Amino acid sequence: LQRIDYEDPAVFALISSGDTDGIFQVESSGMKDLCMRIQPNSVEDLTAIGALFRPGPLGSGMVDVFIDRKHGRVPITYDVPALATILKDTYGVILYQEQVMQIARELAGYSLGQADLLRRAMGKKDKDEMARHRDLFTQGAIKNGLAADKAVAIFELMAKFAEYGFNKSHSAAYAVLTYQTAFLKTHFAPEFMAALMSTEVNNTDKITKYISDARQHSIPVLSPDVNHSGKSFSVEGRSIRFGLEAIKGVGGIAVDTLIEARTQKKFTSVLDFCQRVSTRKVNKKVLESLILAGAFDEIAEVNRASLFASIEKLLEHASDEQEERELGQSSLFDAFQADDIKLLTPIGAIFKSESDWPQSRKLSLEKQVVGFYISGHPMDGWQKICDDWLGWNTEKLKEYTAPPPSKAPPAEGPPMMGGRQRPQRKEIRMGGLISEMKEITTKKGTRMAFVQFEDIPGRCEVIFFPEAYAQTQEMIRQAMAQAEPVVLTGDIDAGDEGNKVLVRTVEWLAEAHKNRAQQVVLTLDTGSASPDQLRELKKQLLQFRGNCPVRIQFKDAQFKTKLDLPKTVKVSPAPQLVENINRIFGASVVQIQ
């Protein structure tokens, strides 16, 4: 960081694009929007962003003036030439307290102490002190050759902007950290994101957001693995490996023991793991967590369900082996390699044979010990469909700003607290998962619920009032237990503690999507679609047979045409079909209509 280039165009391009998840100070939606509007190209601009993103400058129109001047839409003018050197970096806008002090010193001959007193008076809006400084400033400016009317005008300008003045030294220190973190994300993205996740390991919302952000940058986040994971998040090539200490139920002592055992040789099987790692330090609880998190998937003799059902027998076998070694007794098997032992030890003697868990249950159990979905997400494949179809997700909900309150409260719905006017409500539909639920009893004795609803971008709170809850509670519990996506319909409730949804109805996502799908439309470019891609497309269409007709729209520089496929080539509009076809053509070419 002592040697980085603070004028790197790639860094400023990243910030200007709004791709700032994980970057210090500019992660919020408001900051992202401001970065995209300002298009910073210097650390001075970053310093200004920190000072501008406050209620005063945003509400006064000062931000718009700054942006218009920066981009040349409004000319930059200075009342006197001396102001140009002081206000050049902020495009003629008085933005910092230090600028107020510098103007007072340059134009009116203030001492440092006097300039600081002026800054305080302006900040506190002390009328008596301001009147005294007005006379003092005007006299000093006239003495330095300024016309009286010009001196008064400049003082009034200072007083106006000083209401929103910010401490530049504070904002500059923040700007340096903003640039440094943006530099790391630009040039060392996997390392930066891994460090960021390690720092926020106890914040589920942030970890979920950063995993999503990493994947959007084509940085895979790999599941925990007993042979490859470190204590915290680490980097493998261009991928991020999940850390073992982040798994619930796996403490530092167990991780140290595990890492020490594998330094001599990597584990070849779960049986090998249990024979070499002390079962006192890596006990039943630790093994359960490692299994559910998928940390044994690469070396396991059997599937997760069978492995989980076999823990008692596995520990019993491992404990016997370890006790013999501690007593100095050699085992008959000591002379054999691990592969030989596998041949001599029947799998059925230790491992039970169970049908593997379905993917939804596997992911649900994984989330219990990891805190979020890591090897996949129940909304994989669904998210883009929901965004295009329903138009809302948790991220858009958080960014929504309610219109001004209506003058008259609506006839229906729960009353407002404290007699405040009710804001206008907006109806939305949103697809996602029900992850947590808190049920309460109202004063009338009815039941209602506060629910955590999540999709790939994040999570939010949704509220089921008694009537809606009575109609949907069984479905809510089932959706939560099975990690099965649903579509909810309700109204946005915008408040100081964030936007929530007051839910009216819930339906299964797969069923709702199946009922709304009328046609699958593919838009293909004739100049870039290859015969191999079209052959792969045919395979996918035949694999996902169903009742939905398919239309292909061909586009070319000279013409556009459409082809409705025969009735014998109807498909099921499953998320996997959409995902597979988009992957074939390397772009989003599928629309469900």
Side-chain angles (χ1 to χ4, degrees):
L1 292 177
Q2 300 302 317
R3 300 190 301 273
I4 67 172
D5 176 10
Y6 279 89
E7 297 178 355
D8 187 336
V11 177
F12 291 112
L14 180 84
I15 298 171
S16 298
S17 72
D19 180 17
T20 54
D21 283 343
I23 297 178
F24 180 75
Q25 200 191 10
V26 291
E27 283 193 85
S28 70
S29 58
M31 268 295 199
K32 287 179 180 180
D33 178 65
L34 187 57
C35 288
M36 289 189 284
R37 290 176 64 200
I38 288 180
Q39 296 286 299
N41 52 14
S42 67
V43 174
E44 281 290 349
D45 283 349
L46 295 181
T47 305
I49 285 172
L52 287 167
F53 193 69
R54 294 177 298 118
L58 289 169
S60 68
M62 184 178 178
V63 172
D64 298 323
V65 172
F66 183 96
I67 293 170
D68 286 341
R69 290 188 179 187
K70 173 176 168 57
H71 295 300
R73 293 191 285 267
V74 173
I76 301 170
T77 57
Y78 303 99
D79 285 354
V80 292
L83 290 177
T85 56
I86 300 170
L87 303 179
K88 180 184 68 174
D89 290 334
T90 54
Y91 311 102
V93 174
I94 301 172
L95 183 56
Y96 307 117
Q97 295 174 352
E98 287 90 338
Q99 288 175 322
V100 170
M101 295 171 66
Q102 203 173 351
I103 292 169
R105 295 191 68 217
E106 292 287 331
L107 269 61
Y110 271 52
S111 67
L112 277 170
Q114 288 174 317
D116 192 49
L117 291 172
L118 171 63
R119 176 192 65 80
R120 287 191 209 173
M122 287 182 167
K124 292 179 180 178
K125 300 179 185 177
D126 187 327
K127 290 184 179 179
D128 293 338
E129 191 67 9
M130 285 287 286
R132 191 179 73 80
H133 275 288
R134 180 187 176 123
D135 294 340
L136 190 63
F137 181 89
T138 305
Q139 291 168 13
I142 293 171
K143 189 176 178 181
N144 282 348
L146 227 62
D149 59 339
K150 188 71 77 175
V152 171
I154 290 173
F155 185 86
E156 294 299 332
L157 189 69
M158 288 165 61
K160 174 188 171 186
F161 282 100
E163 290 181 19
Y164 313 118
F166 196 64
N167 186 316
K168 184 180 182 182
S169 57
H170 181 86
S171 198
Y174 273 36
V176 169
L177 287 176
T178 298
Y179 185 91
Q180 288 176 346
T181 49
F183 183 94
L184 293 173
K185 185 171 182 178
T186 302
H187 297 294
F188 304 95
E191 291 82 0
F192 175 71
M193 297 302 289
L196 197 63
M197 290 176 194
S198 296
T199 305
E200 299 287 358
V201 72
N202 295 317
N203 188 327
T204 301
D205 285 350
K206 284 201 171 184
I207 286 283
T208 302
K209 181 171 79 168
Y210 295 148
I211 287 175
S212 175
D213 187 50
R215 287 172 175 160
Q216 285 173 18
H217 287 84
S218 301
I219 302 170
V221 180
L222 308 175
S223 298
D225 187 290
V226 291
N227 273 329
H228 300 288
S229 292
K231 282 189 170 185
S232 55
F233 289 86
S234 56
V235 175
E236 288 181 26
R238 276 279 301 173
S239 302
I240 295 171
R241 176 68 72 178
F242 200 90
L244 294 172
E245 271 194 340
I247 303 171
K248 293 172 186 174
V250 180
I253 294 172
V255 174
D256 288 339
T257 304
L258 184 159
I259 291 174
E260 184 182 353
R262 80 175 185 213
T263 51
Q264 299 156 21
K265 186 178 68 168
K266 288 190 174 179
F267 305 115
T268 57
S269 66
V270 181
L271 186 58
D272 176 48
F273 176 93
C274 290
Q275 287 171 338
R276 289 166 51 196
V277 176
S278 169
T279 52
R280 291 195 189 94
K281 295 176 181 175
V282 180
N283 56 25
K284 181 184 176 183
K285 177 63 180 171
V286 173
L287 280 180
E288 285 178 349
S289 296
L290 290 172
I291 292 167
L292 297 180
F296 288 119
D297 284 0
E298 292 298 314
I299 60 170
E301 296 89 335
V302 291
N303 61 43
R304 283 193 203 178
S306 299
L307 195 55
F308 194 81
S310 309
I311 289 177
E312 295 284 0
K313 192 74 175 173
L314 191 62
L315 283 172
E316 184 182 326
H317 180 84
S319 296
D320 290 343
E321 289 277 324
Q322 290 178 18
E323 282 178 22
E324 285 180 6
R325 276 201 300 275
E326 287 171 10
L327 291 170
Q329 298 174 13
S330 62
S331 166
L332 170 65
F333 297 120
D334 284 352
F336 292 100
Q337 297 297 322
D339 288 341
D340 297 326
I341 295 173
K342 279 186 191 176
L343 294 172
L344 293 170
T345 308
I347 292 293
I350 296 174
F351 297 104
K352 295 181 181 178
S353 180
E354 302 278 343
S355 298
D356 201 7
W357 295 315
Q359 181 69 359
S360 58
R361 176 160 170 74
K362 197 179 286 187
L363 289 172
S364 179
L365 292 169
E366 188 177 286
K367 189 184 178 187
Q368 287 180 20
V369 294
V370 175
F372 33 83
Y373 301 108
I374 182 76
S375 64
H377 195 288
M379 287 294 288
D380 285 339
W382 280 118
Q383 192 64 55
K384 175 125 189 7
I385 290 174
C386 288
D387 290 348
D388 293 343
W389 165 34
L390 304 171
W392 285 88
N393 57 35
T394 55
E395 187 172 39
K396 187 174 178 182
L397 174 68
K398 287 176 185 175
E399 294 174 355
Y400 172 75
T401 303
S406 57
K407 291 183 180 179
E412 298 179 4
M416 292 296 288
M417 297 296 290
R420 289 181 287 124
Q421 287 184 320
R422 182 187 304 279
Q424 295 176 26
R425 294 258 170 83
K426 182 175 181 65
E427 180 181 283
I428 67 166
R429 295 182 80 208
M430 188 164 59
L433 302 166
I434 293 171
S435 57
E436 296 172 32
M437 179 177 73
K438 180 184 177 183
E439 191 181 64
I440 65 166
T441 303
T442 67
K443 290 180 180 178
K444 293 182 179 179
T446 54
R447 307 290 287 171
M448 63 177 287
F450 295 88
V451 166
Q452 288 297 314
F453 189 77
E454 69 175 83
D455 54 14
I456 290 178
R459 57 164 51 192
C460 66
E461 185 176 68
V462 301
I463 301 170
F464 290 80
F465 283 116
E467 186 179 345
Y469 185 56
Q471 295 170 357
T472 59
Q473 58 180 306
E474 290 306 317
M475 188 175 177
I476 292 170
R477 294 182 196 282
Q478 189 179 343
M480 187 165 57
Q482 298 176 359
E484 191 67 35
V486 297
V487 174
L488 56 81
T489 302
D491 297 321
I492 298 177
D493 183 37
D496 296 338
E497 296 179 4
N499 296 336
K500 301 172 184 179
V501 180
L502 309 182
V503 183
R504 291 199 300 277
T505 63
V506 182
E507 52 192 323
W508 296 114
L509 174 54
E511 196 65 29
H513 173 64
K514 182 180 175 183
N515 293 338
R516 58 77 64 159
Q518 302 295 316
Q519 182 176 233
V520 174
V521 179
L522 315 180
T523 304
L524 303 181
D525 189 331
T526 57
S528 60
S530 69
D532 286 343
Q533 287 176 320
L534 294 175
R535 276 190 286 271
E536 283 297 315
L537 170 62
K538 182 181 177 182
K539 286 181 187 176
Q540 291 298 323
L541 296 177
L542 293 175
Q543 183 181 336
F544 288 88
R545 289 183 178 277
N547 300 315
C548 205
V550 179
R551 169 177 288 179
I552 302 179
Q553 296 181 161
F554 294 100
K555 60 178 183 178
D556 188 272
Q558 274 91 31
F559 70 89
K560 287 183 181 178
T561 189
K562 63 187 179 185
L563 173 67
D564 290 320
L565 297 189
K567 292 180 181 178
T568 52
V569 191
K570 289 185 175 182
V571 298
S572 169
Q576 194 62 51
L577 172 69
V578 177
E579 198 173 324
N580 292 351
I581 294 176
N582 285 339
R583 190 182 299 119
I584 290 170
F585 294 98
S588 182
V589 300
V590 184
Q591 266 193 318
I592 310 291
Q593 295 181 348

